[in-house]
């Protein structure tokens, strides 16, 4: 017999009544599920309204303004990341090592890396690229307007959230 189903021999121990045994692998405890509460009734679930909209024209001036601001923000993020990388490389001593290596390789004792000169040029190049890519987006908006006259534009489905 199973020692767990036998009452203890020590009279000082108090035992609770055991659950009836149902089979060889019956669990020792029974789980009691919480009462089932019916969910509150709601009305029929309504879907949000949907509308189909066709984008036939895009304002070139608004595309140009948005592109200028977007690419300027991208340029700032890239310049800040490069500035942090330059500061880390300077703190580690990698910039001084590259300077010494360049002096040894080219026998030019006047070689020096100037961060201010580098970041001034990078800023000018970045501003030029902001203007170039904004003009490319402006050209694409004109091209879209011409193509949408032939094709009919892009159809977009708008859905209202409920």
């Amino acid at each position: 017999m199973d020692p767990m189903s036998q009452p203890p021999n020590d009279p000082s121990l108090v035992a609770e009544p055991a659950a009836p045994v149902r089979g060889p692998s019956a669990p020792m405890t029974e789980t009691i599920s919480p009462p089932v509460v019916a969910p509150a009734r709601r009305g029929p679930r309504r879907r949000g309204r949907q509308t189909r909209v066709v984008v036939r024209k895009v304002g070139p001036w608004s595309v140009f303004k948005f592109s200028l601001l977007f690419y300027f923000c991208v340029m700032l993020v890239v310049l800040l990341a490069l500035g942090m990388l330059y500061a880390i490389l300077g703190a580690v001593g990698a910039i001084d090592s590259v300077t010494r290596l360049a002096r040894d390789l080219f026998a030019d004792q006047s070689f020096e890396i100037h961060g201010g000169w580098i970041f001034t040029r990078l800023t000018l190049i970045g501003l030029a690229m902001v203007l170039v890519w904004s003009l490319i987006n402006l050209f694409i908006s004109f091209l879209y307007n011409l193509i949408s006259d032939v094709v009919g534009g892009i159809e977009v489905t708008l859905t209202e959230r409920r």
Side-chain angles (χ1 to χ4, degrees):
M1 279 204 102
D2 186 19
M4 295 299 286
S5 63
Q6 301 258 343
N9 293 334
D10 187 7
S12 65
L13 292 176
V14 177
E16 294 181 10
V21 177
R22 294 187 188 134
S25 63
M28 295 296 281
T29 59
E30 262 186 59
T31 57
I32 299 174
S33 59
V36 178
V37 178
R41 290 196 160 232
R42 296 183 199 174
R45 187 168 196 165
R46 295 184 347 197
R47 290 178 51 187
R49 293 184 300 179
Q50 289 188 348
T51 306
R52 288 186 177 174
V53 179
V54 176
V55 180
R56 293 196 185 269
K57 298 263 184 225
V58 176
W61 179 242
S62 66
V63 169
F64 184 69
K65 290 188 298 186
F66 183 82
S67 296
L68 279 175
L69 187 60
F70 175 76
Y71 288 121
F72 183 74
C73 290
V74 169
M75 181 198 75
L76 285 180
V77 167
V78 169
L79 282 177
L80 286 174
L82 288 174
M84 289 189 306
L85 180 65
Y86 183 80
I88 290 170
L89 290 176
V92 170
I95 294 176
D96 294 332
S97 297
V98 170
T99 302
R100 281 195 306 273
L101 177 67
R103 285 179 184 167
D104 292 343
L105 284 178
F106 303 116
D108 184 11
Q109 297 304 318
S110 64
F111 180 78
E112 218 173 304
I113 296 177
H114 297 285
W117 184 87
I118 292 172
F119 281 99
T120 301
R121 300 315 185 268
L122 284 176
T123 303
L124 292 175
I125 291 169
L127 289 173
M129 294 307 293
V130 164
L131 185 62
V132 165
W133 284 106
S134 296
L135 289 173
I136 288 173
N137 284 349
L138 180 68
F139 173 73
I140 290 172
S141 70
F142 281 125
L143 191 63
Y144 175 81
N145 288 337
L146 289 174
I147 292 173
S148 70
D149 287 340
V150 175
V151 177
I154 295 176
E155 186 175 312
V156 180
T157 302
L158 303 175
T159 303
E160 182 179 24
R161 289 188 185 184
R162 288 276 177 189

